[in-house]
Amino acid sequence: MSSRRFSMRPLHWIVLGLFVAALGVAMPRIAAFTSSTGSVASSAWAADPDPVPHDDPPAAAHDKAGDSHGNAGDSHGNAGDSHGDTSAAHGDADGSHGDGHGDGHGDGHGDGHVGLAVFEKPAPVNSDGVVPPAILMILGALLVAALPKLLRGPVAVLVPAITLWYVMTRLEPGMLVTFDFLDYTLHVARVDRLSIIFAMIFSLISTIGGVYALHNGDRRQQVSALFYAAGALGVTFAGDYFTLYAFWELMAVASTMLFWTRERPDSLAAGNRYILVHLAGGTLLLAGILLHLGNTGSILFEHFDPGTGGTAAWLILLGMAVNAAIPPLGAWLPDAYPKATITGAIFCSALTTKTAVYALIRGFYGWEILVPAGVIMALYGVVYAVLANDVRELLAYHIISQVGYMVAGVGLGTELAVNGAVAHAVCHILYKSVLFMGAGAVIHTTGREQLKDLGGFVSRQKLIFALYMIGAFSISGFPLFNGFVSKSMVTAAAHEVHQNWVFMGLMLASVGTFLHTGLKLPYNVWFGEDKGIQPTKAPLNMVVALATAGFFCTLLGVRPGLLYQYLPFAVHWEPYTAAHLVEMIQILLFTFFAFYLFIPKLGGSSSISMDTDAIYRKSQPVFRALFVTAVGAFFDTVQEKSIALAEVVKRWVGDPTDALPGALPRVATDEAGYDEDRNRRPLGVSLTLTMVVLLVLAVWVLVAAR
Amino acid sequence: MKLKTPSTRGWIVAGATAGIAVALQYVLPLEHHGGWWESIPAWWAVFGGVGCAVIVLVSKWLGKVFLQKPENWYE
């Protein structure tokens, strides 16, 4: 225990230093804010007095949500400029959503209501020569597959980097690449602001993931990772359900390889469960798509108005919910991710759930059921993280928790909420990759991945620890880190529409986030009791990748405008306000104090946590008995009985001369003792029988012919 | 693991930090959420500390009565 008092001190000072720095950064903004209090608006922490400039007029920037929103375009241009003004209207969308939140909260917000966001369809842009980014990635994957080991690693970094450059410089909202397939016109690349920002972050993280995996020459992993990223990009730009489904399944198959290639029995088994769950989810999606096609005749991937769409929409939503890991459909995630390869887990943590979030935004923003689902997710992950013992299992549960914020944002469906969901997806991909890369580096350098087996070697791994903490500060929402500028958008959006229980639920989840990823995990891995671990040196490429992702986490934290400029809607919201800073400082500090008291309860132990995957894992013997053993036994029995029956039949329809008195036993021609004269049947008997049969037949024919 | 009391310096640092964090709320000119919780003194400090305790205790309790299983449970 003496090591604890010593070891906690640096962390203490880091935390304090960061708070002081954050206050320093924020002071000018606070001054600006307090000098313009007249503009204080209803969003939770204030409307931005100096909003991030937004080059594209909203009317030209977005895909429209559906025909029913078509007439909302005119009012949207105004709403963008006066988002804080609660009288802003969003055309006819208000009726379906805003009314539910508007009344009965005389709490000083002024109040009317904030309506459902409206994605405007961008004006068509010449798309000649545009290559869907997924195709670039697939070609890159095929190239990598053919290259020798020395070149594979660098090319696996270059391919997503080129794709990122291509997305940022060559694609613009309004582009559309179509492809005729059977009787349908597929929209294989539909470009708008929403798809561009997701494609940017997917390409960026694939590049960083490629760097992290440079030391790993496993061709299967390198190629699978690129195919996986291609799937994510394909989904992101899919304008129709067929394209969406094809890339959805490509993701499922390619990502499964990242578990199987670890080649441990538990990884193989987890990969099997993973692919089965994802194929089941894909089947739900396909069923919904086909039903939707039957109902509407359209395969275009558009928004379903809340409460409409019927069974088809619900099936599609369920299919997407599997990939978004919404409980109880999300147990595959903490089951599989801890068993992925060290480098493969980076891609897993970034791609599958976030493409699902993208798809949910596109198809289901404003669906109110997603709000409670998101809050439950956020808290569900936190509860399990307390119990988690595997390093990456803890992080996996916090993916569920963080995706909960995004899902809740999608459900809230206002501009601030959708912006928050997108911003948080981007930030989450960055900081979660840092966390998984840090954890991966620990596993790589120590060979241990259970909390109970780790501890006490921070002095031998300072750099990895420091880089990990950047991710931990980010996910916890520390000022100056990206979680601070994105997570709070979603919570503010909940408050903006007076969903206070959502607001409080998400705030509580953020306490749990800091508790686990910021305190429990680093304490148990690097501090605590010294287990005498001597980590090997982490490969340089791992450190570089960690530092790069950490750099982006910090960059977006101090310059949120860099992120906000790419969000689907104009941002009129300022994270660095005095209220928000004080709030986070109090929460984080007192969480830290409480953690200090509960350290004895938060160590690793020898147990696993039951999740909903127990339903199919524990019932596996029953299913095996029903569908494998029972079916096998049935066929075996049928086979046995058939053979027995054939024996009986043979006895009855065999050569009747066998039954004649004095018949000799049959002996095969190649058996010893066979005598041609004794054992061969007399020809006369056969001829006689044949003639008798012919005679009978002839008589019968004659009689019948009469 | 036995809990060890921090050193005097540790207590001073912790107390001062906590005091500053709570005092900031009253020193800085803050805009208001309009939520009921704003009338509770040092609300977010209480929320952080108590929230953390609730998360740990409830999760541990759930783990004990229901969720936690031996490592070979699936075998």
Side-chain angles (χ1 to χ4, degrees):
Chain A
M1 284 311 296
S2 61
S3 67
R4 193 174 103 216
R5 195 159 15 135
F6 163 74
S7 60
M8 291 311 288
R9 208 170 285 150
L11 192 60
H12 229 125
W13 286 113
I14 292 170
V15 174
L16 276 175
L18 286 168
F19 283 148
V20 172
L23 277 177
V25 168
M27 273 307 169
R29 288 171 181 269
I30 294 167
F33 172 80
T34 49
S35 66
S36 59
T37 45
S39 69
V40 175
S42 67
S43 57
W45 285 292
D48 186 354
D50 180 21
V52 174
H54 206 291
D55 298 336
D56 293 346
H62 314 299
D63 197 356
K64 72 178 171 118
D67 289 345
S68 63
H69 294 306
N71 60 352
D74 292 338
S75 64
H76 181 70
N78 298 332
D81 294 330
S82 57
H83 188 66
D85 176 356
T86 50
S87 67
H90 289 265
D92 54 4
D94 277 351
S96 63
H97 188 76
D99 288 349
H101 312 302
D103 303 325
H105 294 273
D107 52 7
H109 277 270
D111 224 314
H113 42 250
V114 180
L116 206 61
V118 178
F119 283 85
E120 302 295 335
K121 204 180 186 71
V125 173
N126 180 20
S127 311
D128 293 341
V130 171
V131 182
I135 302 296
L136 288 180
M137 208 71 107
I138 287 174
L139 292 175
L142 295 174
L143 176 66
V144 168
L147 287 173
K149 186 175 178 180
L150 192 65
L151 291 175
R152 279 203 300 270
V155 173
V157 176
L158 268 181
V159 168
I162 291 170
T163 310
L164 174 63
W165 166 81
Y166 189 83
V167 169
M168 290 186 74
T169 60
R170 291 287 182 271
L171 298 186
E172 52 182 302
M175 287 178 166
L176 179 67
V177 181
T178 58
F179 176 75
D180 288 331
F181 173 73
L182 302 177
D183 290 338
Y184 302 98
T185 299
L186 304 185
H187 291 198
V188 288
R190 169 184 56 183
V191 185
D192 59 13
R193 293 180 65 84
L194 185 63
S195 50
I196 284 179
I197 186 168
F198 271 93
M200 280 167 58
I201 189 63
F202 289 151
S203 309
L204 175 65
I205 209 63
S206 302
T207 311
I208 294 173
V211 174
Y212 188 74
L214 267 177
H215 65 284
N216 179 349
D218 187 347
R219 190 195 308 264
R220 300 166 303 173
Q221 288 188 52
Q222 291 165 320
V223 175
S224 306
L226 288 178
F227 270 117
Y228 187 13
L233 287 176
V235 169
T236 306
F237 286 106
D240 69 89
Y241 280 116
F242 285 179
T243 307
L244 176 89
Y245 178 72
F247 284 111
W248 197 267
E249 296 296 28
L250 173 64
M251 283 176 65
V253 174
S255 55
T256 305
M257 288 303 292
L258 300 176
F259 307 105
W260 283 342
T261 47
R262 203 173 186 207
E263 293 181 351
R264 285 189 348 188
D266 60 342
S267 296
L268 295 172
N272 290 344
R273 291 191 294 273
Y274 174 90
I275 185 75
L276 286 173
V277 172
H278 279 271
L279 291 180
T283 308
L284 287 172
L285 182 65
L286 182 62
I289 289 170
L290 295 178
L291 203 56
H292 179 68
L293 175 62
N295 291 343
T296 66
S298 166
I299 57 164
L300 293 185
F301 178 25
E302 301 286 3
H303 179 243
F304 288 101
D305 280 340
T308 65
T311 314
W314 282 101
L315 284 171
I316 292 172
L317 179 62
L318 275 178
M320 291 174 177
V322 170
N323 270 27
I326 298 177
L329 305 173
W332 57 268
L333 194 156
D335 175 26
Y337 282 13
K339 288 137 194 159
T341 62
I342 289 173
T343 52
I346 316 306
F347 293 89
C348 294
S349 75
L351 299 179
T352 297
T353 45
K354 262 60 74 185
T355 39
V357 167
Y358 162 81
L360 285 174
I361 294 174
R362 180 72 77 188
F364 295 96
Y365 75 88
W367 279 56
E368 290 186 8
I369 189 169
L370 293 174
V371 179
V375 178
I376 289 169
M377 279 179 89
L379 293 168
Y380 178 90
V382 163
V383 167
Y384 274 96
V386 174
L387 307 173
N389 294 310
D390 185 292
V391 178
R392 293 191 297 175
E393 184 193 359
L394 187 154
L395 295 177
Y397 272 115
H398 266 288
I399 293 180
I400 294 183
S401 180
Q402 295 298 302
V403 172
Y405 286 83
M406 301 166 216
V407 170
V410 177
L412 290 167
T414 62
E415 289 190 357
L416 182 61
V418 172
N419 270 347
V422 177
H424 202 47
V426 171
C427 294
H428 174 80
I429 286 172
L430 287 168
Y431 62 61
K432 190 56 83 173
S433 73
V434 172
L435 298 172
F436 265 91
M437 285 193 278
V442 169
I443 298 170
H444 183 85
T445 55
T446 67
R448 305 177 187 207
E449 48 197 304
Q450 298 291 321
L451 292 178
K452 64 180 163 57
D453 301 329
L454 289 158
F457 65 103
V458 68
S459 58
R460 281 152 257 157
Q461 200 170 64
K462 286 179 189 147
L463 183 59
I464 300 288
F465 164 69
L467 291 170
Y468 171 91
M469 286 313 291
I470 293 178
F473 289 147
S474 301
I475 193 175
S476 307
F478 273 62
L480 299 181
F481 295 93
N482 64 2
F484 182 82
V485 308
S486 64
K487 190 190 290 185
S488 46
M489 285 179 100
V490 178
T491 49
H495 189 269
E496 187 184 46
V497 293
H498 309 291
Q499 297 248 17
N500 284 340
W501 68 271
V502 177
F503 176 69
M504 283 299 170
L506 295 179
M507 293 305 280
L508 185 63
S510 80
V511 169
T513 306
F514 178 46
L515 171 66
H516 301 125
T517 45
L519 295 168
K520 173 186 168 178
L521 193 149
Y523 180 81
N524 284 293
V525 169
W526 286 287
F527 296 92
E529 186 191 341
D530 192 343
K531 307 265 169 59
I533 297 165
Q534 295 292 340
T536 57
K537 200 169 177 340
L540 179 65
N541 59 296
M542 275 186 163
V543 179
V544 170
L546 258 166
T548 310
F551 166 76
F552 281 108
C553 287
T554 321
L555 179 69
L556 297 186
V558 294
R559 295 287 304 279
L562 292 174
L563 169 64
Y564 292 169
Q565 66 179 324
Y566 289 107
L567 295 181
F569 301 102
V571 177
H572 300 270
W573 184 76
E574 168 56 54
Y576 286 102
T577 64
H580 187 197
L581 283 167
V582 167
E583 182 178 306
M584 284 314 291
I585 288 169
Q586 289 189 4
I587 289 177
L588 294 171
L589 259 182
F590 282 82
T591 302
F592 177 82
F593 293 147
F595 162 78
Y596 196 86
L597 294 173
F598 284 108
I599 285 176
K601 280 191 170 291
L602 290 169
S605 65
S606 300
S607 65
I608 58 167
S609 305
M610 180 182 70
D611 202 336
T612 49
D613 58 339
I615 295 168
Y616 50 81
R617 292 179 73 178
K618 287 304 262 188
S619 60
Q620 187 260 3
V622 177
F623 282 105
R624 174 172 282 274
L626 272 177
F627 297 111
V628 181
T629 316
V631 172
F634 173 74
F635 278 102
D636 287 349
T637 312
V638 168
Q639 189 179 343
E640 263 173 40
K641 297 292 178 198
S642 306
I643 290 169
L645 185 66
E647 289 290 335
V648 173
V649 171
K650 192 182 90 181
R651 212 175 301 144
W652 285 97
V653 301
D655 188 341
T657 60
D658 286 350
L660 290 176
L664 292 166
R666 283 184 172 270
V667 179
T669 51
D670 56 349
E671 267 180 55
Y674 175 76
D675 181 345
E676 211 170 65
D677 295 327
R678 278 170 50 90
N679 296 106
R680 199 164 60 175
R681 302 286 152 175
L683 194 61
V685 177
S686 302
L687 277 175
T688 309
L689 279 170
T690 309
M691 291 192 65
V692 168
V693 170
L694 269 177
L695 188 67
V696 170
L697 273 174
V699 171
W700 180 69
V701 167
L702 284 175
V703 172
R706 280 181 65 200
Chain B
M1 200 163 21
K2 203 179 160 201
L3 192 68
K4 190 156 187 167
T5 315
S7 64
T8 316
R9 203 169 113 192
W11 278 115
I12 292 170
V13 170
T17 322
I20 292 168
V22 174
L24 279 174
Q25 190 177 345
Y26 301 97
V27 173
L28 294 173
L30 301 184
E31 68 276 26
H32 291 289
H33 290 277
W36 51 263
W37 53 88
E38 283 182 346
S39 57
I40 302 172
W43 163 253
W44 291 114
V46 175
F47 188 84
V50 175
C52 180
V54 167
I55 286 169
V56 173
L57 295 175
V58 170
S59 305
K60 281 282 170 190
W61 176 75
L62 280 175
K64 204 169 174 183
V65 298
F66 178 47
L67 296 175
Q68 273 186 312
K69 306 288 175 192
E71 277 180 316
N72 60 358
W73 194 58
Y74 282 120
E75 288 159 17

